[in-house]
Amino acid sequence: MSDSEMSPKRSLTTRIVIGMTAGIAVGVVLNGLLTSTLEPEGKVSGLIQGVLIDGVFYVGGAIFMASLKLLVVPLVFVSLVCGTASLEDVSRLGRIGGKTLGLYLLTTAIAVSLALLTAILIAPGEGLDLPTQTNFVAREAPGLAETLVNIFPTNPIKAMAEGNMLQIIVFALLFGFAMTLSGEPGRRLLGVFEDANRVILRLVEVLMEVAPYGVFFLLAKVFSVQGLATILDLFQYFVTVLTVLLLHGLLVYPALLFVFSGLDPRALLRKMRTPISFAFSTASSNATLPVTLETVEEKLGVNNSVASFTIPLGATINMDGTAIMQGVATAFIAQAYGVELGVTQLIVVVLTATLASIGTAGVPGVGLIMLALVLNQVGLPVEGIGLIIGVDRLLDMVRTAVNITGDSVVSCIVAKSEGEFSAERYASR
Ligand code: ASP
C-alpha cells in the first residue's frame, strides 16, 4: 500500500482522537459552569442546557448513533450469508462455532477471575460509610429455557425489525447454508450478496469520515451531564475496575493472541484504535459493530467467512469488560455490606458473571442491570447496585472498548487456526 493511500486512514484516527478530546474538554467545562454557576436557574445555564446540551450535542450525537445502528442489521445479515455460503465445506462452520464459543467463554472466565482477585486484593469497598437506602430497583432476568428458545426466530423480518442479533445470526446461517446446497442459483445469489456486502462496507467507511464530529457530540453530552465529581466519591471502585480493564486489554489479550496464534499483538492494538474510540464514545458494542467488522476484515486480515460470524456473535455475547465490572462490583458490594464471600461463592460469581455478561445486550448500561443476576446468586442485596450507578456510564465506555477488543482477538485466533487469515494484511501498516 502506498503512502498516499495510507495517510487518510492515519489522519482519521487522529481526527477522531481530536474530536474525543475536544468533546470531553467541552463537556467538563460546561458541567463545571452548570454546577458552579452563581445562578443555576439563570439565563446562561438555561441556554447551555437547552441550546447546547439538549440541543446541538443531543441531536448531533443521536443522529450519529442512529446512522451507525442503521447499518448493523443489513450488514450482519448480508455479511454472514456471504461468509456461510462461501465456506467450501459447511461442516467447518461447526468447528469455527465451537472454537469461537470456547474462546469467548475462556476469555470471559479469565476476565471475571482477574476482576475478583484484584478486587479482593485492593478491597475497594471496605470501610465504606453506606447510605442506608438506595433507590435502585432490579429487573427480573429471563430464564435459561426461554433464552435458548428465543435464539430461534419464528419470523426473520420481525427479528430484523427488532434487531434481535442472535435470531438474525441463526437465520443468516440457515440461509447461507441453503445457498451452498442450491448449486447454480445459490452461486448466482452469492454474487449479489457479495456486491451488497461491499456496498454496505463502503457505507461504513463513509460514515467513519464523520466520526470525529459524532464522537465530539456524544462525549460533550455525556461529560456535561455526568461531571467528574462522582468519580471522587467512588474513587477506589472506579480505579479498581479501570485497572482490571486495562490489565485485561493490554496484557491478557496480547498474551492470548500471541500464545494461540503467534501474532504480534501490537499490530492488533494499533489497528483497533478506531473501533475502540467508537466503542468508548457510544458505549455500545452493537453500534460499533459495523466499524469493528470493517477493521477486522480489512485491516486485520480476517476472512469474511470467520469475521462475519465471530464479530456479530461477539458483539452480542462476548462481554469481558462487562464481566470485569460485574466481578469487581460484586466484591465491592460484598465488602461494603460487610459480607465475606467464600471460595464456593467466588466460583458461583465467576460462573454467573460469565452468564450475565453473555446475557448483556451490547447497548449502554445493560451490564449494570444484569449484575442483579450475580448478586442474587450469592445472596447480596440487589440495591447495592445503587451504590455504583454514579460512575457506571464512564466505566461503561471503557468496558465496551474492552468488549469489542476481545471479539477481534478471538476472531484473529480462530481465523488463523482455520487458515482464513491474511498474515500480509495483518502485518501491513
Ligand atoms: N455497554 C456495553 C456494551 O455495549 C454493555 C454493558 O456492559 O452495559 O458492550
Side-chain angles (χ1 to χ4, degrees):
M1 208 180 270
S2 74
D3 272 344
S4 58
E5 271 174 296
M6 281 308 300
S7 49
K9 302 245 165 58
R10 257 210 299 269
S11 73
L12 174 67
T13 312
T14 314
R15 281 185 291 132
I16 292 178
V17 172
I18 294 172
M20 290 170 70
T21 316
I24 295 174
V26 169
V28 170
V29 169
L30 290 184
N31 182 268
L33 279 178
L34 283 178
T35 45
S36 70
T37 177
L38 296 177
E39 36 139 29
E41 302 297 324
K43 223 170 168 188
V44 179
S45 307
L47 276 180
I48 292 177
Q49 187 69 46
V51 177
L52 279 183
I53 301 176
D54 297 335
V56 181
F57 299 163
Y58 165 70
V59 172
I63 292 176
F64 178 63
M65 274 294 256
S67 16
L68 279 175
K69 286 193 205 157
L70 80 88
L71 294 171
V72 174
V73 172
L75 179 60
V76 171
F77 181 64
V78 170
S79 174
L80 188 50
V81 168
C82 288
T84 315
S86 61
L87 275 180
E88 310 267 271
D89 171 10
V90 182
S91 66
R92 283 179 61 203
L93 206 61
R95 219 176 44 221
I96 293 174
K99 284 183 189 174
T100 307
L101 281 176
L103 282 168
Y104 279 162
L105 285 175
L106 174 76
T107 50
T108 309
I110 294 176
V112 198
S113 310
L114 191 63
L116 281 176
L117 196 73
T118 315
I120 288 168
L121 285 178
I122 297 184
E126 230 134 73
L128 262 201
D129 195 9
L130 278 186
T132 46
Q133 201 88 45
T134 67
N135 56 6
F136 184 83
V137 185
R139 265 209 330 232
E140 277 287 308
L144 184 61
E146 196 192 331
T147 310
L148 283 178
V149 172
N150 276 343
I151 295 176
F152 295 86
T154 50
N155 178 347
I157 307 293
K158 183 163 172 254
M160 289 184 195
E162 289 172 349
N164 186 325
M165 198 60 75
L166 292 180
Q167 292 192 351
I168 298 171
I169 290 175
V170 169
F171 181 61
L173 287 174
L174 290 173
F175 198 86
F177 177 58
M179 272 164 66
T180 61
L181 299 178
S182 309
E184 192 42 38
R187 269 190 292 280
R188 276 202 306 270
L189 198 51
L190 177 59
V192 176
F193 268 87
E194 277 173 350
D195 287 350
N197 193 32
R198 273 260 52 87
V199 173
I200 303 175
L201 279 179
R202 192 74 199 98
L203 195 52
V204 176
E205 286 164 11
V206 170
L207 202 74
M208 282 162 76
E209 289 301 315
V210 298
Y213 305 99
V215 298
F216 170 82
F217 291 133
L218 288 173
L219 292 177
K221 168 116 171 69
V222 167
F223 280 86
S224 54
V225 175
Q226 169 81 42
L228 297 178
T230 41
I231 296 182
L232 292 179
D233 301 336
L234 285 160
F235 191 70
Q236 296 222 41
Y237 167 75
F238 187 83
V239 170
T240 311
V241 179
L242 207 58
T243 307
V244 187
L245 287 173
L246 292 176
L247 278 177
H248 198 70
L250 299 176
L251 287 180
V252 175
Y253 285 150
L256 288 174
L257 185 68
F258 186 70
V259 170
F260 280 113
S261 65
L263 292 169
D264 178 357
R266 283 170 302 180
L268 181 134
L269 291 176
R270 178 164 42 81
K271 293 182 178 192
M272 283 299 288
R273 274 182 311 192
T274 305
I276 284 175
S277 42
F278 271 70
F280 181 82
S281 311
T282 61
S284 169
S285 302
N286 256 342
T288 310
L289 202 160
V291 185
T292 317
L293 191 59
E294 199 265 353
T295 305
V296 167
E297 283 185 15
E298 306 289 314
K299 306 206 176 67
L300 294 177
V302 175
N303 213 323
N304 170 259
S305 55
V306 170
S308 65
F309 173 71
T310 50
I311 297 302
L313 186 69
T316 315
I317 67 163
N318 184 46
M319 309 268 170
D320 296 354
T322 303
I324 286 170
M325 177 279 287
Q326 290 169 341
V328 175
T330 308
F332 174 82
I333 291 168
Q335 289 157 5
Y337 282 95
V339 178
E340 181 101 27
L341 294 176
V343 178
T344 326
Q345 278 173 310
L346 291 177
I347 295 172
V348 171
V349 175
V350 174
L351 294 177
T352 45
T354 304
L355 285 180
S357 68
I358 290 175
T360 301
V363 291
V366 182
L368 198 70
I369 294 168
M370 293 302 281
L371 175 61
L373 198 82
V374 187
L375 296 179
N376 271 333
Q377 285 302 312
V378 285
L380 285 168
V382 171
E383 307 80 65
I385 294 176
L387 296 175
I388 51 174
I389 219 163
V391 287
D392 196 64
R393 173 68 199 202
L394 296 176
L395 290 174
D396 197 3
M397 295 158 67
V398 188
R399 71 178 182 250
T400 307
V402 171
N403 288 345
I404 60 131
T405 308
D407 304 339
S408 70
V409 168
V410 169
S411 194
C412 285
I413 295 174
V414 174
K416 179 96 191 315
S417 74
E418 287 290 322
E420 298 281 341
F421 184 77
S422 160
E424 224 171 88
R425 208 176 263 199
Y426 184 88
S428 73
R429 293 295 309 161

